[in-house]
Amino acid sequence: MEITNVTEYEAIAKQKLPKMVFDYYASGAEDQWTLEENRNAFSRILFRPRILIDVSKIDLSTTVLGFKISMPIMIAPTAMQKMAHPEGEYATARAASAAGTIMTLSSWATSSVEEVASTGPGIRFFQLYVYKDRNVVAQLVRRAEKAGFKAIALTVDTPRLGRREADIKNRFTLPPFLALKNFEGLDLGKMDEASDSGLASYVAGQIDRTLSWKDVQWLQTITKLPILVKGVLTAEDARLSVQAGAAGIIVSNHGARQLDYVPATISALEEVVKAAQGRVPVFLDGGVRRGTDVFKALALGASGIFIGRPVVFSLAAEGEVGVRKVLQMLREEFELTMALSGCRSLKEITRDHIVTDWDIPRTQPRISPRL
């Protein structure tokens, strides 16, 4: 069966992967309301396309933190990709590079920063979890910098791991033949079996719950790399991110895997963009499955989007080829959406190209008062 859209990879991944692995990738926190809402919220945003515009030439390229990329579609950090496919993060890195876009490597990758760098040229960001032992953090940041990574995406929504009930039921743990490669030499590369989720126990033991804004500033003292604050959902935290010296903000609810009943990222995006006041770029991850979703995010002020689950599902289905296809399909859909909306470049995508359910109706019915 020919795959014609990104979503179709999920069913193939479900067939191919062990239940514990598929559930780990696919599930969200608790009732999974936000997991569904991340998708549903996109479907409530409608287009206001402009017609009779010459769209024979369309430019999708953009710059992110000064790096030129082919399109505003990038790869989000997803952990333990070798559970999906033997080539794991290597395949993802090659696919991103071939598409001319950015890959973000997870702290909890099953390939190290050095191994991913060895796949060849490419613009790569490193997602960072802050461990209780700050020497571990400093060492990891230095290694990422040395391996040519261009930015740090600091995850700020995980002082504790969200309650992911599938992982509890499955007693999720990293398969014994794999390791969290970035931590292997530090005796932090393995996950113990636990009476609930092995990952939840690992986080409880290793990740620093005291993480605060002063640590965002501390991070800037140990690295010259720009820092993206990943996990912002409110105007208040957007303003604090800018004040703390962040180079950018990623509006993220961690793929709906942390606090359930937070809004969809596409619903929180505009509030964050307005609060950032153009001082730093704002990006989005969570729920992007179509080129139309990319357009909607940009119309609401995002500078680009990141995809997570589509990468691991396509990786499970077809390895590097699958990830390449996902990036290509999203690119083609996004380009078509631009053409049909009358936009020839990213700067032509405006707020007027969409209507949301929180917009004030554009035409107020004129009811003459009866005396």
Side-chain angles (χ1 to χ4, degrees), residues 245-310:
I249 290 169
I250 303 173
V251 174
S252 173
N253 54 32
H254 209 116
R257 294 157 75 78
Q258 283 299 98
L259 180 61
D260 200 15
Y261 298 99
V262 294
T265 49
I266 196 68
S267 307
L269 175 62
E270 195 165 31
E271 172 182 330
V272 172
V273 167
K274 283 177 174 166
Q277 296 180 315
R279 288 179 290 183
V280 299
V282 176
F283 305 95
L284 169 139
D285 69 28
V288 175
R289 300 293 179 272
R290 285 278 189 189
T292 48
D293 300 334
V294 181
F295 187 101
K296 289 169 184 180
L298 268 63
L300 285 166
S303 292
I305 64 90
F306 291 87
I307 51 167
R309 287 186 182 88

Side-chain angles (χ1 to χ4, degrees), residues 118-179:
S118 77
T119 62
I123 304 155
R124 303 187 183 103
F125 293 172
F126 181 70
Q127 175 271 333
L128 180 68
Y129 282 117
V130 176
Y131 279 59
K132 289 174 182 171
D133 183 344
R134 293 307 165 89
N135 294 325
V136 167
V137 179
Q139 201 179 323
L140 195 53
V141 169
R142 274 198 296 274
R143 282 172 56 198
E145 208 165 349
K146 196 165 170 238
F149 284 70
K150 301 300 185 205
I152 301 291
L154 175 67
T155 296
V156 295
D157 58 12
T158 313
R160 299 172 59 171
L161 203 71
R163 184 176 171 82
R164 307 167 190 178
E165 292 177 4
D167 291 349
I168 296 168
K169 283 188 170 67
N170 294 331
R171 303 268 189 272
F172 173 81
T173 191
L174 183 65
F177 56 90
L178 295 174

Side-chain angles (χ1 to χ4, degrees), residues 217-229:
Q217 289 162 321
W218 168 75
L219 210 49
Q220 292 164 74
T221 68
I222 66 161
T223 182
K224 296 215 168 20
L225 294 179
I227 292 155
L228 299 169
V229 177

Side-chain angles (χ1 to χ4, degrees), residues 307-333:
I307 51 167
R309 287 186 182 88
V311 171
V312 286
F313 293 149
S314 60
L315 188 61
E318 297 183 311
E320 182 185 336
V321 171
V323 182
R324 281 181 185 234
K325 277 193 205 164
V326 157
L327 290 167
Q328 187 59 29
M329 281 190 287
L330 285 174
R331 181 191 175 90
E332 287 171 2
E333 288 179 10

